[in-house]
Amino acid sequence: MENESQNKSSDLWRLVLLEGIATVILGLLLITRPASTTAVIVIFIGIYWLIEGILSIVRIFTKPGKAPWLWSLIIGILGILAGIAVLVHPLISSIIIPATLTMIIAIIGIAMGIMEIARGVQGDGIGAVILGILSILIGIWLLLNPLAGAIVLPSILGVVGLIGGGFLIYFAIRVHSEIKKAES
């Protein structure tokens, strides 16, 4: 039993290491080749939506769920249409999807800013209020300039990928060293 647990831990650190390496590579690609990397990601999104749409419709006939079948049908049709639209018009989709994501980030930023201000007023201090105001201002700017935000978004995601991937690699190495210590 203990040996099986060690094998699972051994496999886990390798998977985390691979995920970290893949995330760093994706981050580097988003920073060095943002347009072509975004285009590839958008095509994968289109394929995903198409497959998910088909599976949602198939699920109506194969696996009765708790939700009404109509929802699966609507989700399926929308997924298929969105997938086809992205795959037929990848260039336009490479602009629309990041711009839409930028607007979603802007709305979330505004909402978080409002919550930060409320938190600051309730006693968390002026720092929370200042961060809230900055978050709202950035959110408003992104809402007014979604294409500019969409142009910068791949680079920002690339930096996040580099940092996140670096942490995953570090964590995997730490887990591996702990496994080695436990084995000795």
Side-chain angles (χ1 to χ4, degrees):
M1 185 72 163
E2 186 177 315
N3 192 22
E4 184 179 323
S5 174
Q6 286 177 342
N7 284 342
K8 287 182 181 178
S9 297
S10 180
D11 291 342
L12 178 65
W13 84 266
R14 285 186 178 104
L15 288 174
V16 173
L17 180 64
L18 286 174
E19 183 180 356
I21 292 169
T23 304
V24 166
I25 291 170
L26 183 60
L28 285 171
L29 288 171
L30 282 167
I31 290 171
T32 59
R33 302 199 182 280
S36 58
T37 305
T38 300
V40 170
I41 290 171
V42 165
I43 289 171
F44 277 112
I45 289 171
I47 292 168
Y48 171 78
W49 284 342
L50 181 63
I51 292 170
E52 179 60 30
I54 293 167
L55 292 176
S56 289
I57 291 175
V58 168
R59 214 175 347 230
I60 294 170
F61 303 105
T62 59
K63 181 182 176 195
K66 294 179 183 177
W69 65 269
L70 183 61
W71 286 115
S72 289
L73 180 64
I74 292 169
I75 290 169
I77 291 170
L78 289 175
I80 291 170
L81 292 175
I84 290 171
V86 168
L87 294 173
V88 170
H89 303 289
L91 185 60
I92 294 170
S93 299
S94 293
I95 297 168
I96 292 173
I97 290 175
T100 303
L101 184 58
T102 299
M103 290 189 296
I104 291 168
I105 291 169
I107 292 167
I108 291 170
I110 292 169
M112 288 174 55
I114 292 168
M115 289 185 245
E116 283 293 319
I117 291 171
R119 203 178 64 137
V121 170
Q122 291 176 351
D124 274 356
I126 191 72
V129 172
I130 292 171
L131 286 175
I133 291 169
L134 284 172
S135 184
I136 290 172
L137 291 175
I138 291 170
I140 290 170
W141 183 83
L142 287 172
L143 273 179
L144 296 175
N145 302 294
L147 288 178
I151 291 169
V152 177
L153 186 63
S155 297
I156 292 170
L157 292 175
V159 170
V160 170
L162 287 175
I163 294 168
F167 278 122
L168 287 171
I169 292 169
Y170 171 76
F171 178 71
I173 292 169
R174 289 282 312 257
V175 168
H176 180 63
S177 68
E178 292 298 319
I179 291 170
K180 289 292 183 190
K181 283 181 190 176
E183 289 175 352
S184 352

